[in-house]
């Protein structure tokens, strides 16, 4: 990236004052200014719920920064020779506008991944496959750097983005060239007026602006997605994946049978033995099928797709093996924050289980968990804000319950 401050002000609709220096990189975190000062960084000051990086402007000047993007008047110490700043109404929106302007100058292909569960693992799988295959790819969205930051600070051919419903809510011109929808189950209903359809509509925005050259990868086993598809004019290539019933699509598909799946896109296909993967469970077979379809749609070599899937290690906090002590295996699955993700976690367990659960109830229906809880859990440890509901739902289902 290379812009003069006056150009940034014009692009973002802000006002410019001071020295009209040229900036080449962007920094948003005052605690970890990773760019070399010789590369002329632009420090973007943003306000959050619990922080305001405007408080660190003088500190950034001491560290050598001379260009600033701000939302309010700057301290007198910055109004000195050599310093320049652009003032805007909203720094985050301005950074997004700048990133969009920069991106418009070149072509980058976007793989966007959303869903109630499996987003991070699927995103990480796609990114690993593409990087292992030699693609110039960036990881962003909910993990890695923000999309805007990646576009503003680097030149990538591919962007692999994990997208939450919150992010999709604010996307209007955005288009995922390859879109993945892993599943839709009730989550974040407190944000959506306790209306599941509102949440579903947000997730379905992943197909917004797609055209015939794009690809849409989705779970054909998910009843919510199946009910939504007829509502949309889907002109892109549809690439479904499934484990419960065979699927067939002229563009391509993936199907799991007896622990193996074949993913095919056009003339390219790959067969994968899930027993050889380092991540287990039906949910990770779904994630792997989605990632394989995305990689093939991106032109990835089938041999590399299989190799990367076998080498992929569990993502932190997602059925992550922590260690074994005294014959007890400890597994960190703290990202299982809704009923569906817990269902798949319990489904994958092969040994008697102590289940540690808790947090804030989001209007969950725990009914789907009771069969596995009755079969596999011998002790439930409740530790969170809403223990009372867990106690009420699982008393008589699990032999022993401890409220912490």
């Amino acid at each position: 990236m290379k812009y003069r401050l006056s150009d940034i002000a014009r692009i973002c609709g802000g006002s410019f004052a001071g020295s009209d220096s040229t900036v080449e990189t962007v920094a948003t975190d005052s605690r970890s200014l990773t760019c070399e000062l010789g590369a002329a960084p632009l420090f973007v000051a943003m306000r959050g719920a619990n922080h305001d990086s405007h408080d660190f402007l003088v500190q950034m000047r001491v560290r050598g920064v001379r260009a600033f993007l701000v939302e309010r008047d700057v301290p007198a110490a910055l109004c000195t020779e050599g310093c320049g700043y652009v003032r805007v109404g909203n720094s985050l929106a301005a950074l997004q506008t700048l990133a969009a302007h920069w991106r418009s100058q070149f072509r980058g292909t976007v793989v966007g991944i959303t869903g109630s569960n499996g987003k991070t693992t699927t995103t990480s799988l796609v990114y690993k496959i593409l990087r292992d295959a030699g693609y110039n790819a960036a990881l962003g969205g909910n993990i890695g750097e923000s999309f805007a930051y990646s576009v503003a600070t680097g030149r990538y051919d591919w962007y692999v983005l994990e997208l939450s419903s919150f992010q999709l809510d604010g996307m209007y011109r955005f288009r995922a060239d390859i879109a993945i929808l892993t599943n839709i189950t009730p989550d974040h209903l407190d944000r959506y007026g306790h209306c599941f359809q509102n949440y579903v509509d947000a997730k379905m925005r992943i197909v917004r602006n797609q055209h015939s050259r794009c690809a849409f990868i989705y779970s054909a086993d998910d009843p919510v997605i199946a009910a939504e598809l007829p509502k949309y004019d889907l002109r892109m290539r549809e690439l479904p994946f499934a484990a419960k019933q065979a699927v067939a699509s002229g563009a391509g598909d993936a199907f799991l049978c007896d622990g193996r799946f074949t993913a095919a896109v056009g003339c390219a296909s790959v067969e994968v033995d899930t027993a050889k993967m380092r991540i287990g469970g039906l949910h990770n077979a779904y994630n792997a099928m989605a990632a394989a379809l995305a990689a093939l749609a991106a032109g990835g070599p089938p041999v590399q797709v299989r190799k990367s899937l076998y080498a992929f290690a569990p993502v932190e906090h997602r059925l992550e093996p922590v260690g074994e002590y005294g014959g007890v295996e400890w597994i960190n699955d703290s990202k299982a924050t809704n009923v569906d993700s817990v269902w798949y976690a319990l489904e994958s367990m092969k040994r008697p289980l102590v289940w540690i659960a808790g947090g804030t109830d989001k209007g969950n229906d725990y009914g789907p968990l009771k069969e596995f809880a009755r079969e596999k859990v011998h002790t439930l440890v409740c530790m969170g804000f809403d223990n009372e509901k867990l106690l009420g739902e699982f008393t008589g289902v699990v032999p022993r319950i401890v409220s912490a």
Side-chain angles (χ1 to χ4, degrees):
M1 183 185 82
K2 184 173 286 189
Y3 286 106
R4 299 193 71 82
L5 282 180
S6 56
D7 293 330
I8 293 175
R10 174 179 53 79
I11 293 166
C12 300
S15 59
F16 160 71
S19 177
D20 193 14
S21 58
T22 298
V23 298
E24 299 177 6
T25 62
V26 172
T28 58
D29 191 342
S30 61
R31 299 164 299 178
S32 56
L33 187 62
T34 56
C35 52
E36 294 294 332
L37 297 184
L42 171 70
F43 179 68
V44 180
M46 292 188 283
R47 308 184 203 207
N50 301 307
H51 76 282
D52 187 345
S53 54
H54 289 81
D55 297 338
F56 302 97
L57 294 177
V58 175
Q59 177 184 330
M60 292 297 99
R61 181 186 179 282
V62 171
R63 296 178 63 182
V65 179
R66 295 293 181 268
F68 302 86
L69 181 67
V70 299
E71 295 180 2
R72 66 188 192 203
D73 290 338
V74 300
L78 293 185
C79 300
T80 59
E81 185 176 353
C83 285
Y85 64 92
V86 174
R87 180 170 177 176
V88 295
N90 185 303
S91 294
L92 177 59
L95 179 59
Q96 293 171 335
T97 299
L98 182 62
H101 184 274
W102 177 247
R103 187 186 175 208
S104 69
Q105 301 177 57
F106 59 95
R107 176 62 181 163
T109 304
V110 173
V111 183
I113 299 96
T114 195
S116 302
N117 300 297
K119 293 187 298 296
T120 299
T121 297
T122 304
T123 302
S124 301
L125 279 167
V126 174
Y127 177 68
K128 176 175 175 56
I129 296 169
L130 296 186
R131 292 286 291 184
D132 289 351
Y135 284 52
N136 177 29
L139 177 68
N142 273 1
I143 56 177
E145 302 287 357
S146 74
F147 183 32
Y149 185 90
S150 295
V151 171
T153 61
R155 283 187 176 273
Y156 296 97
D157 299 319
W158 291 82
Y159 297 89
V160 184
L161 308 177
E162 177 188 327
L163 301 171
S164 70
S165 60
F166 299 2
Q167 291 164 316
L168 291 169
D169 280 336
M171 291 182 174
Y172 298 93
R173 292 178 296 172
F174 172 85
R175 181 182 68 247
D177 299 285
I178 300 174
I180 299 177
L181 180 55
T182 59
N183 47 60
I184 305 178
T185 61
D187 201 3
H188 304 298
L189 297 186
D190 49 340
R191 174 184 169 88
Y192 292 98
H194 295 280
C195 175
F196 183 46
Q197 187 60 50
N198 291 343
Y199 173 68
V200 172
D201 292 343
K203 285 299 186 185
M204 291 301 299
R205 288 176 68 89
I206 191 68
V207 301
R208 190 181 181 92
N209 300 320
Q210 284 199 302
H211 50 61
S212 60
R213 296 188 302 276
C214 297
F216 177 36
I217 299 164
Y218 60 89
S219 171
D221 287 342
D222 190 296
V224 177
I225 296 176
E228 290 299 307
L229 294 181
K231 302 177 183 178
Y232 293 82
D233 181 15
L234 302 177
R235 302 182 182 184
M236 73 295 287
R237 293 178 293 161
E238 294 185 46
L239 304 173
F241 59 90
K244 297 178 181 178
Q245 56 184 1
V247 292
S249 169
D253 52 61
F255 180 63
L256 176 71
C257 182
D258 296 329
R260 294 175 176 268
F261 71 79
T262 298
V265 177
C267 296
S269 66
V270 61
E271 184 176 338
V272 175
D273 182 355
T274 60
K276 295 181 180 179
M277 292 167 45
R278 298 171 63 186
I279 51 175
L282 176 59
H283 61 300
N284 278 321
Y286 280 130
N287 296 337
M289 285 192 285
L293 288 170
L296 293 175
V303 172
Q304 186 60 64
V305 173
R306 184 190 302 111
K307 183 178 179 181
S308 296
L309 289 177
Y310 288 165
F312 183 80
V315 178
E316 287 184 337
H317 314 303
R318 292 161 179 83
L319 287 178
E320 175 192 11
V322 176
E324 188 161 328
Y325 181 76
V328 177
E329 181 183 10
W330 294 80
I331 299 173
N332 179 1
D333 195 39
S334 54
K335 287 295 289 184
T337 57
N338 57 51
V339 170
D340 196 56
S341 58
V342 175
W343 188 95
Y344 281 108
L346 294 178
E347 182 269 340
S348 69
M349 295 295 107
K350 308 302 181 187
R351 299 162 65 173
L353 182 66
V354 175
W355 175 23
I356 303 173
T360 301
D361 181 77
K362 295 180 283 189
N364 297 324
D365 173 14
Y366 296 110
L369 302 180
K370 291 184 179 179
E371 181 178 351
F372 280 140
R374 186 177 290 110
E375 175 187 344
K376 301 185 178 188
V377 178
H378 69 72
T379 300
L380 169 61
V381 179
C382 304
M383 47 184 303
F385 185 76
D386 291 321
N387 284 359
E388 185 175 342
K389 186 171 181 179
L390 287 171
L391 290 169
E393 290 283 347
F394 291 98
T395 296
V397 176
V398 174
R400 184 178 181 221
I401 300 180
V402 178
S403 181

